[in-house]
Amino acid sequence: MLLDLKLGKAKALPMRQSGNILEAEWAPDSSQLRAKILDKNSGIISAIDMESGVSTSLVTASASLLSLTPTMSFSNQGDFIYLKETSTSPADVWLSIAGRKKKLTDLNPDTRNLKLYPIKEITWHNKDDNKIIHGMLIAPSETSSRGPFPLITLVHGGPYWAWWDGWQEGYMGWGQFLASHGYAVFLPNPRGSQGVGPDYADAIVGDVGGVDFIDIMSGIDSLIANGTADPARLGIGGFSYGGFMTSWAITQTNRFKAAVAGGIVSNWKSMYETTDLLGWAPTLLQGTPQQNPKIYYKRSPVYQAANASTPTLIYQGDVDTRTPPGQAKELYEALQRNNVETKIILFKDEGHYFNDLNNTVSLMENVLQWFNTYLK
């Protein structure tokens, strides 16, 4: 939107680029916006003409949706520096002068000693409405092991977030780590994700765990059909909204043989009453528990736990105010009472985002052990 500061009026700009804008800055003469865009699975820096709305792609770049600082900077002449990452290298600083690209830094040379794999972009169709869904796959590529692989599906948080074709690490990004231990890792961007525009993202409003769940399961089926995934060795995991989707999935199907759910929502009503993100549940569920009680009940995993049989590891920061620890404890108790193999780990002094890297290492060790126990 363009806001006239004198008149106090806003108008929609005629932008016609796909995807979602992550950052933007004006050209000196205000004829263009220079924007970082998440377009499906890729980060792209584009110049958007203010008159026509036409977007011209300049370079591919890093697309981290958690960055709180600018990742690009333009000169008055239109040259710019930017951060660029790949699936096998964290971000480095690059320079673009008159269209020529030059890498300026080599900040993490030790990563070249790691067993890392390229990320393959994939698409598939939702089995119900035939909508094209997109995501990525990381698969071990040793010639001695061509599949079908045990497949672990990692569901991202948000839900208005996304996986991107770039560096995957940390307490949420287990993809490369698991692939290095012989797993194929499926990174779906179902509806609810960024990268395809507002209609794609908002399709889950009033339907959390509905169309997005079918999008994900349809993607898994496509990977089974093409020989990538072993249908007898399917795992699922995720953090935050991905933790909710993991908790939800194990109550909707018994196809998964192992699950790891972190920072979860297990009971939408108690979540609404205890979270620090007050408008989140009413936005996704179209009202408060008093206004729309049925969906709060029907889409809460704890009330569906009698259907679960998947061994489930639950993890949580013990001072998390976003998805409070009570959510993890509710699911743990519900699964225990229904004789489902389960374990809970509460990480001391961690909130929604982990700060202590020792805890991240401990988490990764527990995640690998859990999946190895049930999928290898």
Side-chain angles (χ1 to χ4, degrees):
M1 305 293 289
L2 184 67
L3 177 66
D4 186 317
L5 294 179
K6 292 181 179 179
L7 299 178
K9 294 182 179 180
K11 67 176 181 179
L13 293 168
M15 295 183 186
R16 287 182 284 184
Q17 91 292 331
S18 59
N20 294 79
I21 293 177
L22 306 179
E23 305 175 35
E25 62 179 64
W26 285 106
D29 62 0
S30 300
S31 65
Q32 292 181 333
L33 274 183
R34 284 80 173 258
K36 168 75 73 64
I37 297 170
L38 178 67
D39 190 353
K40 295 185 174 67
N41 304 319
S42 299
I44 299 171
I45 295 177
S46 296
I48 304 173
D49 183 79
M50 290 292 93
E51 190 74 27
S52 65
V54 172
S55 178
T56 302
S57 177
L58 303 176
V59 296
T60 58
S62 297
S64 175
L65 276 68
L66 290 178
S67 176
L68 301 178
T69 57
T71 61
M72 62 181 189
S73 182
F74 282 76
S75 71
N76 288 340
Q77 291 73 39
D79 302 321
F80 59 98
I81 58 172
Y82 60 103
L83 296 184
K84 181 178 180 178
E85 63 185 25
T86 71
S87 61
T88 57
S89 174
D92 276 294
V93 181
W94 285 65
L95 173 66
S96 176
I97 295 182
R100 297 190 303 273
K101 288 81 175 174
K102 181 180 180 182
K103 184 179 177 182
L104 300 182
T105 64
D106 188 14
L107 298 176
N108 294 278
D110 288 349
T111 58
R112 286 192 283 274
N113 299 322
L114 299 177
K115 187 188 291 185
L116 301 169
Y117 301 102
I119 293 178
K120 178 184 178 183
E121 296 193 39
I122 58 175
T123 60
W124 63 95
H125 290 84
N126 177 294
K127 68 179 182 67
D128 287 351
D129 64 12
N130 211 37
K131 177 78 173 179
I132 295 176
I133 312 301
H134 66 98
M136 290 166 295
L137 177 73
I138 309 174
S141 58
E142 289 93 341
T143 55
S144 62
S145 180
R146 299 182 182 275
F149 300 103
L151 180 78
I152 297 174
T153 298
L154 295 188
V155 188
H156 65 69
Y160 300 124
W161 204 60
W163 297 119
W164 61 91
D165 184 5
W167 184 248
Q168 308 284 342
E169 68 168 4
Y171 67 100
M172 289 188 288
W174 319 330
Q176 289 285 2
F177 174 71
L178 292 173
S180 73
H181 287 85
Y183 294 98
V185 181
F186 176 38
L187 304 171
N189 282 324
R191 274 169 282 192
S193 304
Q194 292 193 41
V196 192
D199 291 340
Y200 190 92
D202 287 337
I204 64 167
V205 173
D207 192 29
V208 295
V211 68
D212 46 355
F213 176 68
I214 298 170
D215 285 347
I216 292 168
M217 297 306 297
S218 298
I220 293 170
D221 287 338
S222 73
L223 292 172
I224 292 172
N226 69 20
T228 299
D230 181 348
R233 294 185 292 167
L234 300 178
I236 189 169
F239 178 80
S240 198
Y241 192 81
F244 159 69
M245 286 297 295
T246 300
S247 306
W248 178 250
I250 64 172
T251 70
Q252 303 303 301
T253 178
N254 62 5
R255 294 177 63 186
F256 296 109
K257 306 308 177 187
V260 178
I264 69 172
V265 177
S266 62
N267 181 338
W268 283 103
K269 183 176 183 293
S270 60
M271 168 72 178
Y272 167 78
E273 292 165 345
T274 56
T275 182
D276 63 359
L277 201 63
L278 300 179
W280 190 59
T283 296
L284 293 176
L285 303 181
Q286 296 182 308
T288 67
Q290 292 73 36
Q291 295 166 332
N292 198 1
K294 287 186 179 180
I295 191 171
Y296 276 77
Y297 174 81
K298 290 177 66 175
R299 297 301 167 94
S300 291
V302 291
Y303 299 120
Q304 310 286 337
N307 302 321
S309 61
T310 303
T312 302
L313 172 65
I314 305 167
Y315 73 94
Q316 179 75 50
D318 72 349
V319 292
D320 189 345
T321 58
R322 184 62 41 87
T323 54
Q327 294 296 306
K329 293 175 182 177
E330 283 192 52
L331 181 64
Y332 175 76
E333 292 294 337
L335 294 178
Q336 284 273 69
R337 291 173 184 176
N338 285 282
N339 300 312
V340 177
E341 184 72 23
T342 186
K343 177 182 177 181
I344 187 170
I345 304 174
L346 297 177
F347 287 95
K348 184 175 175 56
D349 298 328
E350 294 287 13
H352 200 60
Y353 304 107
F354 281 27
N355 291 312
D356 187 339
L357 294 182
N358 292 308
N359 284 335
T360 297
V361 171
S362 174
L363 169 64
M364 303 302 281
E365 291 171 344
N366 277 278
V367 167
L368 181 63
Q369 182 181 25
W370 193 263
F371 284 128
N372 282 350
T373 298
Y374 298 100
L375 297 183
K376 282 295 183 72

